[in-house]
Amino acid sequence: MDDLALGRDAAGHTPADPVDDAALAELAAHTANSEEPGENGDREVPEVLALLAEAIDDRETGIIATAELADRIGWDAKTLGETLRRLGLPTPHPPRQRVGGSRNPVSVQDIGAIIAAIASYLDVR
């Protein structure tokens, strides 16, 4: 009998872990809120960009370690990086660099790209 005739688990495939309901609800809420216009027609600023707007100093430029930026807003680095990619922020090139005295290359973010994304949501020109 071929694998297509059997269910995925019966064919020897391990079923995926179920998705946490709270995480799914948060993702759905974020997706709905990030694209719907607000009362004045502007899109609502995603939570991560609002947090980063508060955490980034006006004089900061260049690149920063993703872990350092994540610490500033109370997130973990992986989640921050993934969220910024989902929002369409470009990855610096190369995406891993030595910054802040690190001995090894670390994941980095471009401060300018983050500020530009915040400005695009606020429609600041």
Side-chain angles (χ1 to χ4, degrees), residues 24-123:
L24 191 56
E26 182 180 341
L27 178 61
H30 172 72
T31 302
N33 289 338
S34 66
E35 296 302 321
E36 291 180 11
E39 292 178 15
N40 60 0
D42 294 334
R43 293 180 297 170
E44 187 175 321
V45 177
E47 176 190 14
V48 68
L49 293 181
L51 292 170
L52 289 171
E54 295 293 321
I56 295 174
D57 188 321
D58 294 340
R59 296 178 303 270
E60 283 186 271
T61 59
I63 59 170
I64 187 170
T66 304
E68 180 183 337
L69 206 51
D71 283 345
R72 290 185 191 182
I73 63 171
W75 286 34
D76 69 89
K78 181 177 180 180
T79 303
L80 176 60
E82 290 172 348
T83 303
L84 293 176
R85 296 295 84 71
R86 280 195 304 269
L87 290 173
L89 272 75
T91 304
H93 186 75
R96 297 179 66 82
Q97 301 178 32
R98 288 188 177 102
V99 294
S102 63
R103 297 179 98 185
N104 299 309
V106 296
S107 175
V108 294
Q109 300 301 322
D110 181 356
I111 297 279
I114 294 169
I115 292 171
I118 294 166
S120 75
Y121 274 92
L122 298 177
D123 200 27

Side-chain angles (χ1 to χ4, degrees), residues 1-8 10-13:
M1 195 177 250
D2 85 26
D3 284 348
L4 296 176
L6 301 173
R8 291 189 56 83
H13 299 281

